[in-house]
Each structure stands twice: as C-alpha cells, then as structure tokens.
Amino acid sequence: MTTLGTATAAPGEFATGRLPVGEARDGSEVALPVAVLNGARDGQTLYLQAVSDGDELNGVGVLQRLVPQLDPAELAGQILIVGIVNLHAFYVAEHRNPIDDTKMNRAYPGDPNGTSSERIAAATFEAAQRSDIVLDLHQGSTSRMINETRVRCGPRHRMHDECLELARVFDAGYVLDQKGPDGQLARAAPDEGIPTIDPELGGCVGWDEESIAIGVQGVKNVLVHYGFLDGEASFGEQTRASGFEQYGAPAGGLVSFRKDLAEEVSRGEPLFDVTDPFGAVKSTVTADSDGVFWRTRRLPQVATGEYVCSVGTDIDTV
Ligand SMILES: [Zn+2]
C-alpha cells in the first residue's frame, strides 16, 4: 500500500485524500489535497507538489491536466502528490501564507511544532523524503517570466549533477543554476540526497496554457526517463544562466521595455526607459552584463527603486 495523509492506494490503484496540517482559526481542520498513484510494477518514487506560493496556479494546472492521463496499471513505482501546498495563501489568492506572513519556500525542511508555514513544510517534506526525485512546481509569481527550471543546491553540492540532469530532462528550455536561499525545498531535499528541481512555469495571473503544456510535458519526460513509464524521453539542449541580475527603477514613472522575454542582451544595451505620463524619457537603464532577458514586472508604473526586470547572466548550454 502507498499512503499520503488519508490517501491510500494498493498496487495498480489511484487515490485522493487530505494531509492534515493543523486547524484554522475557527477550529476546523486544515488539510492539503493529496493524491497517490501506486504503480502495478515496482520502481522509484516521485514526489510532486504545486502552489507552494499561493498565487502560482500553473503547477496545479499541470496536475489537473496530467493526473487524469496517468494509469497506475501502466506505472512502475509510485507518485506522491500534494496539489495545493500553501492552502492558506491559495484561499485568499496571495503569494505568502497570511497566517504567519511567510513565503513557504523559505520554511523547508520545516518543523512539526513550528509556525503555520513550518508545519506545512514539515508535513510535505516527509513525503519528499520518502521519494527518489522531487519536482516543486512554481512560476515567476504574477510577473512575466520565461519558462525555466531552477537548480538551487549550488554547483558545488554533491547532488548538483543529478539535479542538473533532472532539469535537462524536464526540458523547459532554460535553466537557472544558482544556489538558492535557505529554506527552499530545492535546497533541503538535495541535502537528503534527493535530486530536486524547481520548475518555474512562466509567470502569469491565473493559468497560462503554454506554460502548463510545458509543465505537463516536463513531468511526462521525467516519468519516462526515470523508468516510471515505458518509452524514451526526448529533451533538447538547455540555455543555462549561472548568474541573475535584477534591475530597479532609477526614477518614478512608467516603464517601457526595449527587450522581449528570452531575447539576448549585450552589456551596455538599453533594457528599459522610464517616462513621465506625457512620454518624456526620464531615464534609460542599460545592461550591466551580457545575458538573456528573463523576467519583468507586469504593471508599468514604478516608484524609484522598485523592481523592474531581471537578466540571466553567465550563459552557456547544458
Ligand atoms: Zn514560487
């Protein structure tokens, strides 16, 4: 039997259930929606989670489209899935857990006696620790971003090559290979010897079908490449950024971009202008390094110092 929370599946079966993580302010149970697929044949275990950030819905879009296509009778091994990790934030369509104003992906590996986010992290990390491979489905929040996967353990970590291979197999086209901040699942799980990536499926408000399709194909590639499903995965060369530079507004006003997402950037080239409401250019910001135009804010209005865009740097292919 394979169990996650109240979901229990015998070999060849699929089950859904709930993973309790505490109580709400009215004393009712808070329990994350979970699913397990128990393959008819033995194999590895994959852990999948989505909506670690409550406004990032492309990951649950991937699950919602992919899971009905998976037949446990054709599967080797098991898939453990948490469909909505940051449930409190999901309820109110916010990025952070409103109970403790915390970003879930800074709370791993969690604490079963800690804050709300630490308890959710601990409950989901337990499932991750039972697995051989972990995919933590994210996106660039509600900003605009290319489709990429993140390898967050850092290039000197003992699991780096395995994580990078997983990113190649997922085949989003771009990889950000840079050590992430403390508390990320994609750092905590490799510390336990589990290859983990953080696919970042674009950036949008709600669902973006193109990014969701890339995510569905990415998970399918992982299932085939690692022997859960029969077949041969096909994946191409990835453009890798090992650095990431963020640009802020030097003046208040309205931003006009000079580059499109995924376009190559050369050092010294203009990235964006800030204008006043009547079109007069107040400031033009140029690139500090060569790279790829990676992410931008969604809304044009900015205050001095406010985030505008990011460029992936130190580019090569893997
Ligand atoms: Zn996220």
Side-chain angles (χ1 to χ4, degrees), residues 2-317:
T2 300
T3 297
L4 178 58
T6 63
T8 296
E13 288 185 353
F14 168 73
T16 60
R18 290 275 169 173
L19 178 65
V21 292
E23 293 184 345
R25 288 165 175 164
D26 65 350
S28 61
E29 185 179 64
V30 176
L32 314 180
V34 298
V36 295
L37 287 106
N38 190 357
R41 293 170 286 141
D42 287 342
Q44 302 196 79
T45 301
L46 170 67
Y47 175 65
L48 268 172
Q49 70 171 36
V51 200
S52 170
D53 295 309
D55 58 352
E56 298 184 359
L57 304 183
N58 278 343
V60 73
V62 169
L63 298 177
Q64 190 247 13
R65 289 156 179 73
L66 174 73
V67 172
Q69 299 178 37
L70 299 176
D71 180 358
E74 293 175 358
L75 190 74
Q78 315 167 82
I79 309 175
L80 309 175
I81 309 174
V82 176
I84 301 168
V85 172
N86 198 342
L87 195 57
H88 295 287
F90 174 82
Y91 284 150
V92 293
E94 296 283 344
H95 193 76
R96 299 156 76 95
N97 181 350
I99 304 300
D100 53 16
D101 194 29
T102 296
K103 186 170 162 67
M104 186 65 61
N105 212 19
R106 300 293 180 272
Y108 283 93
D111 177 352
N113 301 309
T115 62
S116 170
S117 293
E118 287 170 345
R119 287 170 193 249
I120 293 169
T124 52
F125 195 65
E126 188 274 334
Q129 278 184 293
R130 288 196 273 139
S131 305
D132 301 293
I133 299 163
V134 171
L135 301 176
D136 184 10
L137 301 174
H138 282 259
Q139 67 187 53
S141 187
T142 55
S143 68
R144 297 168 63 242
M145 197 169 79
I146 61 173
N147 298 292
E148 43 123 327
T149 55
R150 292 189 175 179
V151 172
R152 291 311 228 165
C153 62
R156 283 183 288 277
H157 196 282
R158 68 189 163 99
M159 296 302 296
H160 176 262
D161 290 355
E162 286 88 342
C163 294
L164 187 60
E165 175 68 5
L166 183 56
R168 291 180 63 241
V169 172
F170 197 90
D171 196 31
Y174 293 87
V175 177
L176 179 62
D177 186 5
Q178 188 187 50
K179 189 173 183 177
D182 284 345
Q184 291 195 322
L185 178 57
R187 279 196 52 194
D191 285 349
E192 303 295 319
I194 306 162
T196 302
I197 55 167
D198 169 357
E200 296 277 345
L201 301 168
C204 65
V205 178
W207 274 343
D208 164 34
E209 292 301 329
E210 187 184 321
S211 296
I212 290 171
I214 288 169
V216 168
Q217 189 56 49
V219 179
K220 283 182 179 173
N221 272 5
V222 168
L223 291 172
V224 169
H225 185 76
Y226 292 92
F228 295 85
L229 293 173
D230 293 336
E232 197 152 321
S234 77
F235 46 92
E237 200 171 61
Q238 309 292 304
T239 300
R240 172 169 70 173
S242 300
F244 201 56
E245 291 179 353
Q246 300 204 35
Y247 293 83
L254 300 153
V255 170
S256 302
F257 291 107
R258 300 272 204 105
K259 288 281 175 183
D260 286 331
L261 291 179
E263 215 177 315
E264 281 186 23
V265 168
S266 299
R267 182 184 153 89
E269 268 193 296
L271 295 175
F272 63 89
D273 301 313
V274 180
T275 68
D276 74 8
F278 312 106
V281 175
K282 298 175 72 178
S283 188
T284 297
V285 171
T286 57
D288 293 334
S289 309
D290 295 345
V292 171
F293 202 59
W294 203 272
R295 178 180 181 166
T296 78
R297 64 183 291 103
R298 181 166 296 278
L299 297 174
Q301 68 273 37
V302 288
T304 304
E306 197 168 3
Y307 172 78
V308 177
C309 65
S310 307
V311 174
T313 65
D314 305 286
I315 301 292
D316 64 357
T317 53

